[in-house]
Amino acid sequence: MKFIGEFVDELDRKRDQLSRLFGLDEKVQEEVELLGAELERRWRLLPEPKNVYETEFSVDSSSAYRSLSNGLDFLIVRALMLGTGGYRRPLLRFEAVKGISEYSVASDFERVMRELLEVQIVLDNIEDIPDDSVVLIDGNLYGRYTHALREIGLAGWHHLPLELLYAMWTLYEECAERGIMLVGVSKFSKTRALTSALLPDRSRETRFLDVELLYRKKTGETGYTEPLMLGEYGVDPRVKNTYGASGRMRERLFRGVPERLYGFAEEVLEKVPSFPAIVMFHIIPRENAQPMRVDVPASLIGLDKKISDVSPFEFVDWRHAEGVVRQMAAAFGGRDVYNALLYIVDKEVRLSAKAVDTVYKSVLGSELGVHIEYDRSTRRFTY
């Protein structure tokens, strides 16, 4: 049974609502034109593509989460770092935990672990990276920072986002010292940073995603948006209200952290206002290509601005990002190959369900000498 008739009936009932979502009513169109005019002022033509950084590395990760019939859950995370000249370094982490009863907790645990490994693999191999190289990490850098400013609700793991923050801080420092360009690349980003900055009246919120505005106004064109420096734009007010008081910040946002980790937690949280601001832009390197979001720490492109210095965001001179723009345009390989090296690392690191449910599951049971069986809900979707 395909439920086509029911689907058509549902569309008919929600026709007005869907028209608004697809931007077919006058009020939506008015805002589109307002934002579109501002976008034109902030739109830049692509410079000549060029490999500004001769040595390039790319990092991506994949993961799998499974629930077992004995109440345990396990998580496998793989990260891979590839580089010019056949460079290749893998990293894997396996964790078995008890007590996850909510999907959101499992999702947070998996996300933070992946983001941590993507940073950790670069730090582990930092001595292999020549000065003045570029390192591309899949995903945006700003979201890693803002999403790590609260604990995850899993006993024994409340501190995990603090490990991510500490690793990010260390990597930013290393890159600034060595002249390594660290770039976060999102092949598709559902954020509102650009549209919020374009809105003349910042006392109200825009309904439009960045990618939605670019789709409406820049389809068929090439270019990039004027770089936007993000500071306190996405930072929780509870964080901003406790700058300089890391003990209070810990009590508010990391209450589950055990006493033995108080010192570490407060050391990390003390650095929170001093993280470099993140400069982001959207780039369309070829006609009809989907926009990519690119994030770069301000400290790596000659801008001495911290997160706490920028409230909430500000546009910066396009020349600061020109080298990165040229590198991204040169590495673009087509509709699906949004970046040549990131495309390869994505393919190679991907963890298939078949590999998890046959190879990894079998090895786990063999090494531990126990029978591994998934819970009933997991079995429904894996067999």
Side-chain angles (χ1 to χ4, degrees):
M1 187 172 182
K2 296 182 179 179
F3 292 88
I4 299 300
E6 289 77 8
F7 180 52
V8 172
D9 290 343
E10 184 73 354
L11 292 177
D12 190 54
R13 279 193 295 271
K14 296 182 176 177
R15 190 171 301 279
D16 290 344
Q17 175 190 347
L18 292 170
S19 293
R20 287 192 296 273
L21 284 173
F22 278 85
L24 302 177
D25 70 347
E26 290 184 6
K27 288 185 179 179
V28 169
Q29 196 59 36
E30 287 176 11
E31 187 171 335
V32 169
E33 295 308 316
L34 177 65
L35 291 172
E38 292 298 314
L39 177 62
E40 283 301 319
R41 294 179 53 237
R42 302 293 184 177
W43 188 250
R44 298 289 173 261
L45 298 178
L46 282 181
E48 188 69 26
K50 180 183 177 182
N51 288 315
V52 178
Y53 307 93
E54 291 186 7
T55 308
E56 185 173 274
F57 296 85
S58 66
V59 176
D60 201 356
S61 68
S62 63
S63 57
Y65 171 86
R66 297 289 188 270
S67 295
L68 305 182
S69 59
N70 63 1
L72 292 177
D73 301 272
F74 74 72
L75 174 67
I76 299 169
V77 182
R78 305 195 309 193
L80 181 62
M81 180 173 169
L82 300 181
T84 305
Y87 183 90
R88 179 188 181 89
R89 292 292 184 274
L91 181 64
L92 183 143
R93 187 159 174 178
F94 172 83
E95 297 293 346
V97 297
K98 183 186 294 186
I100 296 181
S101 57
E102 298 179 19
Y103 174 77
S104 60
V105 174
S107 178
D108 283 349
F109 183 51
E110 186 172 0
R111 174 185 54 79
V112 175
M113 193 68 79
R114 282 184 62 167
E115 293 179 346
L116 175 58
L117 255 67
E118 289 173 353
V119 175
Q120 192 62 53
I121 197 171
V122 182
L123 287 172
D124 288 350
N125 299 286
I126 197 76
E127 296 303 321
D128 295 342
I129 303 174
D131 294 356
D132 301 316
S133 299
V134 62
V135 177
L136 308 175
I137 295 184
D138 188 69
N140 82 66
L141 300 180
Y142 188 72
R144 286 171 200 257
Y145 169 82
T146 57
H147 294 155
L149 295 174
R150 59 179 175 83
E151 68 181 22
I152 57 174
L154 179 60
W157 293 95
H158 299 297
H159 67 286
L160 189 62
L162 294 170
E163 288 191 20
L164 173 58
L165 283 172
Y166 183 75
M168 290 171 61
W169 174 271
T170 306
L171 181 57
Y172 290 167
E173 293 282 287
E174 288 277 357
C175 289
E177 184 176 331
R178 299 264 312 280
I180 297 169
M181 182 60 67
L182 181 70
V183 181
V185 183
S186 302
K187 49 185 171 285
F188 191 75
S189 174
K190 288 189 174 182
T191 57
R192 288 186 172 87
L194 174 64
T195 51
S196 296
L198 292 175
L199 200 64
D201 180 8
R202 292 183 180 174
S203 64
R204 65 186 183 90
E205 293 185 357
T206 176
R207 73 188 81 185
F208 286 100
L209 302 173
D210 296 350
V211 70
E212 184 180 6
L213 180 64
L214 292 168
Y215 173 80
R216 290 171 181 270
K217 291 298 182 180
K218 292 299 174 182
T219 295
E221 296 186 30
T222 63
Y224 67 104
T225 59
E226 189 169 293
L228 179 67
M229 184 155 52
L230 304 178
E232 295 181 334
Y233 164 68
V235 178
D236 189 323
R238 293 176 300 171
V239 174
K240 293 186 280 188
N241 293 338
T242 50
Y243 283 166
S246 57
R248 276 203 301 138
M249 195 183 295
R250 174 186 55 76
E251 290 171 3
R252 287 188 178 187
L253 301 169
F254 290 89
R255 300 182 68 177
V257 170
E259 187 174 353
R260 62 184 173 81
L261 292 177
Y262 281 2
F264 169 71
E266 292 176 18
E267 177 190 353
V268 174
L269 294 173
E270 191 69 34
K271 302 178 189 299
V272 162
S274 301
F275 267 71
I278 297 296
V279 175
M280 61 81 72
F281 60 88
H282 295 276
I283 179 172
I284 304 177
R286 189 171 299 172
E287 292 179 4
N288 299 313
Q290 286 188 354
M292 294 182 289
R293 170 173 164 166
V294 178
D295 286 24
V296 184
S299 56
L300 304 186
I301 54 173
L303 294 167
D304 186 22
K305 286 289 187 82
K306 304 177 180 66
I307 288 283
S308 56
D309 293 334
V310 184
S311 181
F313 36 56
E314 60 187 58
F315 286 102
V316 299
D317 193 298
W318 59 270
R319 284 176 281 257
H320 286 289
E322 185 179 20
V324 178
V325 172
R326 297 179 78 179
Q327 187 84 17
M328 297 303 300
F332 184 75
R335 182 170 181 264
D336 296 317
V337 187
Y338 58 99
N339 177 275
L341 205 52
L342 277 174
Y343 177 80
I344 296 170
V345 75
D346 172 77
K347 291 290 186 183
E348 293 199 20
V349 78
R350 195 170 297 172
L351 182 55
S352 70
K354 183 178 180 181
V356 174
D357 302 322
T358 55
V359 179
Y360 283 93
K361 181 186 175 188
S362 175
V363 171
L364 176 61
S366 176
E367 289 292 316
L368 297 181
V370 298
H371 175 64
I372 303 296
E373 184 178 0
Y374 294 155
D375 71 2
R376 183 175 291 108
S377 178
T378 302
R379 290 201 306 272
R380 284 182 59 208
F381 296 101
T382 55
Y383 296 112

